[in-house]
Structure formats: structure tokens, C-alpha cells
Amino acid sequence: MKEQDKELSELNENGKEIPLKQDNSEKVQDKNKFFSFSKILLFIVVGAILIFGIIYIIKIYKKMNSKIELIITENYDEMSKKAADIIADIIKKNPNAHLGLATGGTPIGLYKELINKYQNKEISFKNIKTFNLDEYCDIPIDHKQSYYTYMQNNLFSHIDIDPKNTFIPKGEGDILKNIQEYEKLLEKYKINMQLLGIGSNGHIGFNEPGTKFDMGVHQVLLTQNTIKDNARFFDDDIDQVPKKAITMGIKNIIDAECIILVANGENKADAIKSIMDGKIDINIPATALNTHKGKVYIIIDKKAACKL
Ligand code: PGA
């Protein structure tokens, strides 16, 4: 028998100290309860601090190891200049570079800057090859809103590129054959720099939310969101916007040596935040950039950065 128990039974016999000892034992019990409650509380608090600390350290570690270079600019013009400077440097270093190009409203300013640089004899496109991300289906190549027409108007007709060196997926005719041919082309020519815009739903090229990251060139049905976003190029009439497109897949994009994504405006802020938070989520296709092994530049204006 333990010493404490012995003492307790002796006291029971003489009957005097019983209430006091019982009180003491209650107090001891209360004290024990209090200490075990404090211990649990302390355990929870320390645990929470540890978990949040680990998450914070992982986030910092990811940022330190991220290949993404985020450049936040004052406005659209500065964003365009910055992106054009980086592309011009790539061309200067490798005058035979293979450039992956994008369409949409965002790159127009940077194409203007590249045209200026060409006119100032800073760069030449003589030996450059270009590969566009995507093209609408079911509209003729010379339609005023085809990406073929866009590229002629916004870049190719103003620079010294050989038209034979400009490649854009074909959205008309035998689509399966067009897909296979474009895939073969991308296998043959490694893209040194892929330029990207981003949809408000996080799409890149026409890779809409839910697209698997390992897909190559394919045909897509555009989402209502993208059709609505692009109606501004079709007299604000969603009925005029093509419903299908042919696009490089995320795999083709990620295979590029270096990626430059440009974005401006508040409607892109959520998608940009998802990338910068380090997410990898097929429902936000642009988060595939977090799986890229090479250099990624994200060049955005202050409005697109407002949620960072
Ligand atoms: P935008 O489109 O540049 O016209 O906003 C970008 C995209 O949809 O990729």
C-alpha cells in the first residue's frame, strides 16, 4: 500500500481529520483537473502554432525555390515594355529562337513595342520561328477575328519575319489531321519562350478549367465564360463568337524553355493570386506554371496584382 493511502486510512479510524483530508483531496482533484485542462489548452495552442509555423515556412521555402519571377508594373504600358524588353533580350541572345506567341487584348501593347524595337534596328526576326497557341474553329482563316488575321495585323506584317516561319494551328478542314500536324511540329521545334495571356477563369491558350495538364494539341469547346469574355471582339454578340477552337495543350506550354505570362486588369487578379499562392489545380489551368521546371516571368499591372 502506498504511504498516502495508509495515512488516509489512519485518519479514517480517528475520525478527526476526515473532512479536512477530503477537502484537500477535492482540492487536489480540482487542481489536477485545472492542470490537465491547462495542459490540453497548452497542447492545442502549441500544436496550432507549430502547424501554422510549418505552413508558413513551407510557403517561404516554396517562394524561395520558385522559378517564377513576379514583376508588378504601374500600368499596361509599363507591363508591355517590360515584357517586350525580355523578349528582345531572348532574340538578341538567340537570333534563331523559337517563340510561342499568344493573341487576345493583352499582348497587343508588347507587340507594338517589339515592332518599335525592330524599326529601331534593335532586333530582327529574320531567323525567328513563331508558333501560336491557338486558333478558332469554324471561321475562315482570313476572318477579321481569326488569330491568323490578328497576328498579321498586330505583328507579322510590320516585321521582317519570313511568313514560312510563322505557324498557327489550323481551325478549318480536317481537324484531327491539323492537330496531329501541329503536335509533330511542336515535337520537332523546341519552344524557347512561350508568351501567355490568361483568362479571367485562369485559362491559358484555350485550355479551359478541368483540362488535364498532360494534354497535347487538341480541340476544345469554349466555356460560356470565355465566349462572354471574347464577345468584345465580335461586336459584343456572343452568338458570333466561335464555340470551338484548336489549342496547344498545357503539356506543350509547359515544355517551353521559358514562359512569359502577361496580365492586366482586376478581372485577372484571382487567377494571378492562385498561381502566386503556389496552387496546382486543374480547375485553374494557369496554376500548371507552378509545375514548370524552367524560368517563368509573370508580368502584371497593379490592378492584376491587387489580390496579392
Ligand atoms: P485577353 O485574353 O488578353 O484578351 O484578356 C487573354 C486570354 O484569354 O488568354
Side-chain angles (χ1 to χ4, degrees):
M1 203 185 266
K2 283 183 188 169
E3 204 52 42
Q4 249 184 357
D5 294 344
K6 258 189 208 169
E7 193 187 351
L8 202 61
S9 61
E10 275 166 23
L11 287 168
N12 279 341
E13 279 153 26
N14 68 36
K16 272 185 183 173
E17 302 280 346
I18 293 168
L20 187 66
K21 285 292 171 187
Q22 274 178 342
D23 274 353
N24 272 349
S25 99
E26 270 170 23
K27 271 186 189 168
V28 168
Q29 275 181 14
D30 283 350
K31 232 178 175 180
N32 282 345
K33 266 187 200 162
F34 175 75
F35 279 125
S36 54
F37 175 72
S38 323
K39 264 186 202 161
I40 291 169
L41 200 68
L42 189 70
F43 183 75
I44 292 171
V45 171
V46 171
I49 291 173
L50 267 176
I51 289 169
F52 284 114
I54 289 168
I55 292 173
Y56 184 70
I57 289 167
I58 290 174
K59 269 193 178 173
I60 299 218
Y61 177 80
K62 269 189 181 173
K63 270 195 186 147
M64 279 167 59
N65 284 284
S66 168
K67 303 256 170 34
I68 293 182
E69 184 173 336
L70 175 69
I71 301 171
I72 301 173
T73 61
E74 212 40 49
N75 51 39
Y76 177 78
D77 289 345
E78 206 189 294
M79 176 204 79
S80 304
K81 279 200 178 82
K82 189 73 210 167
D85 285 348
I86 295 171
I87 296 172
D89 279 346
I90 291 170
I91 295 174
K92 282 179 209 164
K93 277 190 199 129
N94 178 9
N96 301 308
H98 302 153
L99 307 181
L101 297 182
T103 49
T106 317
I108 290 179
L110 80 87
Y111 288 149
K112 280 195 183 125
E113 291 294 331
L114 288 175
I115 294 166
N116 285 342
K117 287 176 188 292
Y118 160 71
Q119 287 170 345
N120 297 336
K121 301 198 179 348
E122 203 186 308
I123 49 171
S124 163
F125 293 82
K126 227 168 124 220
N127 297 312
I128 295 290
K129 284 188 173 59
T130 64
F131 302 85
N132 265 77
L133 277 171
D134 45 18
E135 178 60 285
Y136 288 119
C137 291
D138 303 329
I139 56 171
I141 191 170
D142 58 355
H143 185 285
K144 66 180 194 316
Q145 289 304 339
S146 76
Y147 288 161
Y148 174 87
T149 304
Y150 172 106
M151 289 312 298
Q152 310 309 314
N153 292 345
N154 290 302
L155 185 65
F156 296 157
S157 65
H158 307 281
I159 55 174
D160 61 343
I161 197 156
D162 183 342
K164 286 204 299 284
N165 287 336
T166 64
F167 302 96
I168 301 176
K170 293 192 190 90
E172 289 182 287
D174 186 341
I175 296 294
L176 196 63
K177 185 165 156 265
N178 297 349
I179 287 172
Q180 286 167 347
E181 280 177 6
Y182 208 61
E183 186 69 51
K184 266 194 196 144
L185 196 76
L186 296 176
E187 274 163 25
K188 185 169 170 196
Y189 300 107
K190 174 145 180 86
I191 292 183
N192 303 111
M193 182 287 303
Q194 177 64 56
L195 177 66
L196 295 176
I198 184 169
S200 58
N201 62 1
H203 76 204
I204 45 176
F206 270 131
N207 294 285
E208 299 286 15
T211 311
K212 287 191 185 139
F213 288 176
D214 60 356
M215 279 192 85
V217 181
H218 62 287
Q219 190 182 38
V220 286
L221 273 179
L222 304 190
T223 60
Q224 271 311 110
N225 185 81
T226 299
I227 292 171
K228 235 169 60 197
D229 278 356
N230 288 7
R232 67 193 196 277
F233 300 115
F234 292 85
D235 308 322
D236 278 323
D237 177 3
I238 57 168
D239 292 335
Q240 285 186 44
V241 184
K243 307 293 177 285
K244 288 184 207 159
I246 175 167
T247 183
M248 278 189 202
I250 292 178
K251 181 189 173 297
N252 308 112
I253 293 171
I254 294 300
D255 276 350
E257 210 175 292
C258 144
I259 294 175
I260 300 176
L261 184 144
V262 281
N264 67 295
E266 237 172 278
N267 62 327
K268 308 289 173 77
D270 282 323
I272 294 295
K273 180 172 174 3
S274 298
I275 306 174
M276 295 316 300
D277 280 350
K279 284 189 186 163
I280 297 175
D281 178 355
I282 65 163
N283 293 313
I284 312 164
T287 60
L289 299 194
N290 285 318
T291 68
H292 189 253
K293 301 276 183 286
K295 180 88 186 170
V296 178
Y297 294 94
I298 299 209
I299 309 172
I300 55 177
D301 75 344
K302 267 174 26 182
K303 287 182 182 161
C306 70
K307 299 216 168 145
L308 299 181

